[in-house]
């Protein structure tokens, strides 16, 4: 599912820096919703990693590390909110999975 988040975020960055924060948030939330139980930790920590990977690739291909760093700094509040939202989704999924497996054992 991390590849889905990277693909959506990369597409948003390719469309323009205006779309990047929304693509990052959307891709990470979709990945957290679709992740298997074994990949929930990966889904929880992926927003900053995806942001750095996509912006690093943009810096590599465009040659402007300063511009990518500027985009990362401007998108940081949205990145923090996205990370919090994804962690919340993962926690809810873990609790629902525990209830489901706990009711099966009884």
């Amino acid at each position: 599912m991390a590849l889905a988040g990277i693909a959506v975020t990369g597409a948003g960055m390719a469309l323009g820096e205006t779309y990047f924060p929304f693509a990052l948030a959307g891709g990470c939330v979709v990945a957290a919703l679709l992740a298997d139980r074994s990949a929930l930790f990966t889904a929880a920590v992926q927003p900053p990693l995806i942001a750095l990977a996509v912006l690093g690739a943009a810096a590599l291909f465009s040659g402007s590390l300063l511009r990518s760093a500027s985009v990362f700094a401007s998108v940081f509040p949205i990145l923090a909110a996205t990370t919090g939202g994804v962690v919340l989704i993962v926690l809810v999924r873990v609790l629902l999975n525990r209830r489901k497996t706990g009711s099966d054992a009884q």
Side-chain angles (χ1 to χ4, degrees):
M1 285 300 126
L3 290 178
I6 291 172
V8 170
T9 306
M13 187 65 178
L15 289 174
E17 294 169 8
T18 308
Y19 300 105
F20 174 71
F22 304 109
L24 174 66
C28 291
V29 167
V30 167
L33 290 172
L34 297 178
D36 291 335
R37 270 192 280 179
S38 62
L40 286 177
F41 177 75
T42 304
V45 298
Q46 78 181 356
L49 299 175
I50 288 176
L52 286 174
V54 170
L55 289 172
L60 184 66
F61 291 120
S62 72
S64 177
L65 182 61
L66 185 59
R67 182 71 185 148
S68 289
S70 172
V71 171
F72 185 77
S74 68
V75 88
F76 186 77
I78 295 171
L79 177 63
T82 299
T83 303
V86 167
V87 167
L88 185 63
I89 290 170
V90 166
L91 288 175
V92 167
R93 286 194 58 197
V94 166
L95 291 174
L96 290 176
N97 283 335
R98 279 193 184 156
R99 279 193 195 155
K100 189 187 321 181
T101 57
S103 66
D104 291 340
Q106 295 176 356

